[in-house]
Amino acid sequence: MTVKIGLLGFGTVASGVPFLLTENAEKIKQAAQDDIQVAKVLVKDDAEKERLLAAGHKYHYVTSIDDILSDNEIVIVVELMGRIEPAKTFITRALQAKKHVVTANKDLLAIHGRELGAIAKENGVALYYEAAVAGGIPILRTLANSFASDKITRVLGVLNGTSNFMMTKMVDEGWTYEKALQTAQELGYAESDPTNDVEGIDAAYKAVILSQFAFGMTIDFDQVSHKGISSITPEDVTVAQELGYVIKLVGDIQETASGISAEVSPTFLPKNHPLASVNGVMNAVFVESIGIGQSMFYGPGAGQKPTAASVTADIIRIVRRLKDKTIGKDFNEFTRPLQLATAEDVKSDYYFSILTPDVQGKMLRLAEIFNEQAISFKQILQQPSDEKEARLVIVTHSMSKTQLENISKQLEAAHEFQVMNIFKVLGD
Amino acid sequence: MTVKIGLLGFGTVASGVPFLLTENAEKIKQAAQDDIQVAKVLVKDDAEKERLLAAGHKYHYVTSIDDILSDNEIVIVVELMGRIEPAKTFITRALQAKKHVVTANKDLLAIHGRELGAIAKENGVALYYEAAVAGGIPILRTLANSFASDKITRVLGVLNGTSNFMMTKMVDEGWTYEKALQTAQELGYAESDPTNDVEGIDAAYKAVILSQFAFGMTIDFDQVSHKGISSITPEDVTVAQELGYVIKLVGDIQETASGISAEVSPTFLPKNHPLASVNGVMNAVFVESIGIGQSMFYGPGAGQKPTAASVTADIIRIVRRLKDKTIGKDFNEFTRPLQLATAEDVKSDYYFSILTPDVQGKMLRLAEIFNEQAISFKQILQQPSDEKEARLVIVTHSMSKTQLENISKQLEAAHEFQVMNIFKVLGD
């Protein structure tokens, strides 16, 4: 039998799907046990259709979603348009038309995943999206299957290739944020508006999805705090190296006694931490669990073929489940009621970079502020900034988010201190 | 419903299984959809039974396999005794009694895996063994499922924790092989007879199993060449570092135009290669493929809880498949006829460490030997060894196994050269 699929959109990733279906036909046939054929491709207009045909992509193009939804031979709809609309409407209608859906749309899944999952369930069809988190890394299926026996306590991830490329250049080459961004834009890694990548929004979308698979809890996007890399200075990078750390933008989801917390923030990683060697546009997800202990899944976070490989693995899984008559199982079956961690329970070491007039007694005053919150120092470094000012760098021992907030307020109130940056520090 | 399992053996790993079943009951129930209960445990004799009961392990112990095989309530047999016999006989009889089997026994699977797989198939039961390769890393299921869409071209792995612990000490601390081995034995990482670990035999077993999942080909254990770490000297380690490499014992399976080749050997890894940072007893499997490109799966290679987590994931999968009525699917469905690569097709850069009398013309003669085989040098380093001898270190450009063999013979024939070591060098 041949299973027919409809592609929504034919951009870079989409064109990787037929490439893999052809290039790897023998193996895919063994896994899927049926042939898979791209029956129709939805494009924007006739101009796009003509352009694609001229480029040698010989498919049956349609310009209305109805041509795919009303085609009873099409069993699987693969959405690769991106963004929220019209993708959300098209996926909803496809699920309601009892078609299985594969998508790589992380923005959509992070914000409307629960709703779309419910629609899929109602209609007894599959909604798979392995490619939505860390494109080429098969992390979601691994969390759902191989970690079924294990209790995950923390997930740390380098989840955004663009910002990781920039951080790698800032660390290895000493580039400024501005130079790194400009180069990322020139190389096509960053968009002209880089906000989603550099401010941690894209990584926060992925943290929402990872929370569901790793902890069984659907956290709202708004409940994932995110802080980007734009405030990181070459001084921060240098002092991090001196103290034995590498700075990266890290997504961090952990379960505490009171519940889970998720955030994306620039993080000091000890140099020997496996995530510290994840460089350039590569991504990695580091998992801490009571069974396996520490494990890491590393690979490309984006790109045509890596993303297409994940999308195609989802398609194969659906085709096989149709054959086995087990379709309709949720992609992620692990669910618990959401419980958010209290601020007292979320703890970490922190790095403070503080400018202060180079006068007597400043260290005493600073020590008093930290002492009042019962926070002790792990590492202190004083550097002359210019003749009148000094830069104090402090790495603390563990403190809670509550203590962090109190300290921040105190430092703000004490007008002799100018807080340049506060970053999370991962312990050894 | 409750699915009953029988454990064969109750050593360290086996005791981790009930730990996880209890500790993680809620999540396991969601994944398996039935309860799982350890019904009987096979032990050697009454003395072991008494010892385990006294230690607080309250199970129904039996000393004859028949008590488990004839128990119609036991659906899954979990073999964690290790070694070939009696494990092979017990697993065979369990499969013939239509019981599903989970095992972590890599020696057995590497040597008799095909035979046992056929018996499982004949009897319509499952034989799962995720824990057999890189204990805590869910690599086999990932290769079978997530790489179904992808064509793998090469698998490189740090597959043996004991030898990797030793190599890490030899590289980071400058220890000799002897000191590293003694410490590994003191820490319980290495057995009193360390042959399997240090000579690459254990890693070769794992390479056999990885070949099946990654390339669909069952290579015989005898067809995997293996070379251990015992000949590596502190001089090799130092010069590797000077040239920008880290030496590790690496399993390497690749597909060439003529077929696949698999070997385990000390390998120079470029410092920035993801495998180069895999230290201590940790394992990692690095995969190159046409879709994803480069990916790596990192975690503990052994240990009670990591191995138990993989074993328990297999048990859960069987229980769920029973519920879904899809049991009997092969663990690995990807099969192709075995084709071995010709020696001409297996190519690599190589490192040569050669002692020679410190006389005029030696470099000329050496250059002639390599030139006759059309091999060019990438890096050359000459170090005085003592007053009369010099140590020449050469890193070549790519050469085939045929060329390597010819060069080795020539060097042996030329009595002025004493070849100390030849190791594979991974290109950037």
Side-chain angles (χ1 to χ4, degrees):
Chain A
M1 210 187 92
T2 297
V3 175
K4 294 191 175 176
I5 66 177
L7 297 183
L8 311 189
F10 201 80
T12 316
V13 172
S15 64
V17 173
F19 165 81
L20 285 170
L21 288 176
T22 306
E23 193 68 20
N24 211 16
E26 181 201 5
K27 185 177 178 187
I28 290 175
K29 182 65 190 279
Q30 286 197 17
Q33 299 199 349
D34 273 320
D35 289 313
I36 299 165
Q37 189 198 323
V38 178
K40 285 181 184 168
V41 177
L42 177 70
V43 292
K44 215 168 43 198
D45 49 31
D46 286 341
E48 190 181 4
K49 170 182 163 177
E50 294 310 321
R51 189 177 56 74
L52 288 166
L53 283 172
H57 299 293
K58 310 261 175 256
Y59 295 101
H60 180 179
Y61 294 101
V62 297
T63 51
S64 162
I65 183 74
D66 296 320
D67 287 332
I68 286 177
L69 298 182
S70 64
D71 185 336
N72 289 327
E73 294 202 331
I74 291 179
V75 174
I76 303 171
V77 169
V78 180
E79 183 274 312
L80 294 166
M81 301 182 300
R83 314 280 163 158
I84 304 292
E85 284 296 352
K88 180 168 182 255
T89 302
F90 289 178
I91 288 177
T92 303
R93 290 187 56 201
L95 295 170
Q96 286 166 341
K98 314 279 187 207
K99 296 188 192 302
H100 309 288
V101 171
V102 174
T103 172
N105 194 328
K106 60 188 164 297
D107 313 29
L108 179 59
L109 286 160
I111 296 174
H112 301 288
R114 198 159 27 180
E115 179 188 342
L116 293 172
I119 297 172
K121 212 179 173 75
E122 269 168 39
N123 289 281
V125 290
L127 173 64
Y128 289 174
Y129 43 91
E130 176 65 82
V133 176
I137 309 176
I139 185 64
L140 298 183
R141 188 154 282 127
T142 301
L143 291 173
N145 294 336
S146 300
F147 281 87
S149 58
D150 205 351
K151 187 186 275 180
I152 294 173
T153 51
R154 191 174 195 179
V155 173
L156 294 162
V158 173
L159 300 172
N160 179 271
T162 304
S163 58
N164 198 46
F165 166 83
M166 290 170 60
M167 284 310 309
T168 302
K169 290 297 182 188
M170 288 161 71
V171 170
D172 290 354
E173 320 279 346
W175 289 7
T176 59
Y177 168 81
E178 289 73 21
K179 181 172 178 185
L181 176 58
Q182 197 193 326
T183 305
Q185 285 172 328
E186 283 164 9
L187 291 170
Y189 294 152
E191 295 174 59
S192 53
D193 175 1
T195 311
N196 274 18
D197 290 323
V198 300
E199 294 304 333
I201 296 167
D202 174 80
Y205 285 145
K206 293 164 182 167
V208 169
I209 300 170
L210 284 172
S211 305
Q212 297 169 332
F213 282 75
F215 298 96
M217 295 190 189
T218 298
I219 194 166
D220 280 346
F221 174 72
D222 296 338
Q223 292 164 326
V224 182
S225 71
H226 59 88
K227 180 167 158 179
I229 61 171
S230 56
S231 72
I232 299 172
T233 66
E235 289 75 25
D236 294 319
V237 170
T238 306
V239 80
Q241 284 178 316
E242 281 172 23
L243 298 173
Y245 299 96
V246 175
I247 315 183
K248 291 201 174 287
L249 184 66
V250 174
D252 180 0
I253 318 162
Q254 53 182 311
E255 181 161 3
T256 71
S258 52
I260 66 167
S261 87
E263 67 175 357
V264 175
S265 63
T267 303
F268 279 39
L269 297 167
K271 272 183 186 156
N272 61 0
H273 192 285
L275 280 179
S277 330
V278 176
N279 289 321
V281 294
M282 298 305 271
N283 280 196
V285 179
F286 183 84
V287 180
E288 294 179 5
S289 58
I290 61 161
I292 295 177
Q294 300 193 325
S295 51
M296 188 174 83
F297 305 86
Y298 165 94
Q304 179 194 32
K305 287 178 193 166
T307 310
S310 291
V311 167
T312 307
D314 280 349
I315 295 171
I316 292 170
R317 177 55 68 102
I318 290 174
V319 173
R320 181 54 183 270
R321 284 195 169 278
L322 286 168
K323 190 90 182 174
D324 290 346
K325 303 197 181 359
T326 54
I327 200 77
K329 179 173 174 282
D330 287 348
F331 190 23
N332 171 38
E333 298 188 307
F334 180 33
T335 55
R336 294 187 290 166
L338 174 64
Q339 283 196 297
L340 288 178
T342 60
E344 285 74 28
D345 276 356
V346 182
K347 288 174 186 165
S348 178
D349 302 353
Y350 283 93
Y351 157 95
F352 289 77
S353 168
I354 297 167
L355 270 191
T356 169
D358 198 357
V359 294
Q360 200 196 337
K362 63 181 187 307
M363 194 60 225
L364 176 65
R365 179 69 196 112
L366 202 61
E368 279 172 359
I369 292 176
F370 280 82
N371 198 49
E372 276 165 28
Q373 291 295 323
I375 299 305
S376 56
F377 298 157
K378 196 173 190 175
Q379 289 168 303
I380 302 177
L381 204 69
Q382 179 177 335
Q383 294 177 318
S385 175
D386 58 32
E387 283 169 27
K388 291 178 190 157
E389 288 197 309
R391 192 163 81 105
L392 283 169
V393 167
I394 291 166
V395 175
T396 71
H397 281 293
S398 182
M399 67 168 89
S400 70
K401 288 270 180 192
T402 316
Q403 287 172 306
L404 176 64
E405 200 179 321
N406 291 340
I407 295 260
S408 302
K409 275 185 198 153
Q410 293 279 320
L411 290 173
E412 215 169 296
H415 51 76
E416 68 264 46
F417 300 122
Q418 188 191 348
V419 176
M420 304 302 289
N421 264 323
I422 302 176
F423 296 133
K424 195 157 68 175
V425 176
L426 207 69
D428 290 315
Chain B
M1 211 187 89
T2 296
V3 174
K4 295 191 176 176
I5 67 177
L7 297 184
L8 310 189
F10 201 80
T12 315
V13 171
S15 64
V17 173
F19 165 81
L20 284 170
L21 288 175
T22 307
E23 193 68 19
N24 212 14
E26 180 199 4
K27 185 178 177 186
I28 290 175
K29 183 65 191 277
Q30 286 197 15
Q33 299 201 347
D34 272 321
D35 289 312
I36 299 165
Q37 188 198 326
V38 178
K40 285 182 184 166
V41 177
L42 177 70
V43 293
K44 217 167 43 196
D45 48 32
D46 286 341
E48 190 182 2
K49 171 182 165 176
E50 295 309 322
R51 188 175 59 71
L52 288 166
L53 283 171
H57 299 293
K58 311 262 176 252
Y59 294 102
H60 180 180
Y61 294 100
V62 298
T63 53
S64 162
I65 183 75
D66 296 320
D67 288 333
I68 286 177
L69 298 183
S70 64
D71 185 336
N72 289 327
E73 292 203 331
I74 291 179
V75 173
I76 303 170
V77 169
V78 180
E79 184 274 314
L80 294 166
M81 303 181 300
R83 313 280 162 162
I84 304 291
E85 283 297 349
K88 180 168 180 253
T89 303
F90 290 180
I91 288 177
T92 303
R93 291 187 56 201
L95 295 170
Q96 287 166 342
K98 314 278 186 208
K99 296 188 191 301
H100 309 288
V101 171
V102 174
T103 173
N105 194 326
K106 61 187 163 296
D107 312 31
L108 179 59
L109 287 159
I111 295 174
H112 302 289
R114 199 162 23 179
E115 180 188 341
L116 294 172
I119 299 171
K121 212 180 173 76
E122 269 168 42
N123 289 281
V125 289
L127 172 65
Y128 288 175
Y129 44 90
E130 177 65 81
V133 176
I137 310 176
I139 185 64
L140 298 183
R141 189 154 281 127
T142 301
L143 290 174
N145 294 336
S146 299
F147 281 87
S149 59
D150 204 352
K151 185 186 278 181
I152 294 174
T153 52
R154 192 173 194 179
V155 173
L156 293 162
V158 173
L159 300 172
N160 178 270
T162 305
S163 58
N164 198 48
F165 166 82
M166 290 170 60
M167 283 309 312
T168 302
K169 291 297 183 189
M170 288 161 71
V171 170
D172 290 354
E173 319 280 345
W175 289 6
T176 60
Y177 168 80
E178 290 73 21
K179 182 172 177 185
L181 176 58
Q182 198 193 323
T183 305
Q185 285 172 330
E186 283 164 12
L187 291 170
Y189 295 152
E191 297 174 57
S192 53
D193 175 1
T195 313
N196 274 18
D197 289 325
V198 301
E199 294 305 333
I201 295 167
D202 173 80
Y205 286 145
K206 293 163 183 167
V208 169
I209 300 170
L210 284 173
S211 305
Q212 296 168 330
F213 282 75
F215 299 96
M217 294 190 190
T218 298
I219 194 166
D220 280 345
F221 174 72
D222 297 338
Q223 292 165 328
V224 182
S225 69
H226 59 89
K227 182 168 159 179
I229 61 171
S230 55
S231 72
I232 300 172
T233 65
E235 289 74 27
D236 294 320
V237 169
T238 307
V239 77
Q241 285 178 315
E242 281 172 22
L243 298 173
Y245 298 97
V246 176
I247 315 184
K248 292 200 173 287
L249 185 65
V250 175
D252 180 1
I253 318 161
Q254 52 182 310
E255 182 163 1
T256 71
S258 52
I260 65 167
S261 88
E263 68 176 355
V264 175
S265 64
T267 302
F268 279 39
L269 297 166
K271 272 184 186 154
N272 61 1
H273 192 284
L275 281 178
S277 332
V278 176
N279 289 321
V281 295
M282 299 303 272
N283 281 195
V285 179
F286 183 83
V287 180
E288 295 180 5
S289 59
I290 61 162
I292 295 176
Q294 299 192 325
S295 51
M296 188 174 83
F297 305 87
Y298 165 95
Q304 180 194 30
K305 288 178 193 165
T307 310
S310 290
V311 167
T312 307
D314 280 348
I315 297 171
I316 292 170
R317 177 54 69 101
I318 290 175
V319 173
R320 181 56 183 271
R321 284 194 169 279
L322 286 168
K323 190 88 183 175
D324 289 348
K325 300 191 183 3
T326 54
I327 199 76
K329 179 173 174 282
D330 287 348
F331 190 23
N332 172 36
E333 298 188 306
F334 179 32
T335 56
R336 293 187 292 165
L338 174 64
Q339 282 197 296
L340 288 177
T342 60
E344 285 73 30
D345 276 356
V346 182
K347 290 175 185 164
S348 178
D349 302 356
Y350 283 93
Y351 157 95
F352 289 77
S353 168
I354 298 167
L355 270 191
T356 169
D358 199 0
V359 295
Q360 199 195 337
K362 63 182 187 302
M363 194 61 224
L364 176 63
R365 177 70 195 115
L366 203 61
E368 278 172 359
I369 293 176
F370 280 83
N371 197 49
E372 275 165 29
Q373 290 296 325
I375 301 304
S376 55
F377 298 155
K378 197 174 189 174
Q379 289 167 303
I380 302 177
L381 205 67
Q382 178 177 336
Q383 295 177 319
S385 174
D386 59 30
E387 280 168 27
K388 291 177 191 158
E389 288 197 309
R391 192 162 80 104
L392 283 168
V393 167
I394 292 167
V395 175
T396 70
H397 281 290
S398 182
M399 67 169 88
S400 71
K401 288 271 181 191
T402 316
Q403 288 172 306
L404 175 64
E405 200 179 320
N406 290 340
I407 294 260
S408 303
K409 276 185 197 155
Q410 293 279 320
L411 290 173
E412 217 168 292
H415 49 77
E416 68 263 44
F417 300 120
Q418 189 191 347
V419 177
M420 304 301 289
N421 265 323
I422 303 176
F423 296 134
K424 195 158 68 175
V425 176
L426 206 70
D428 290 312

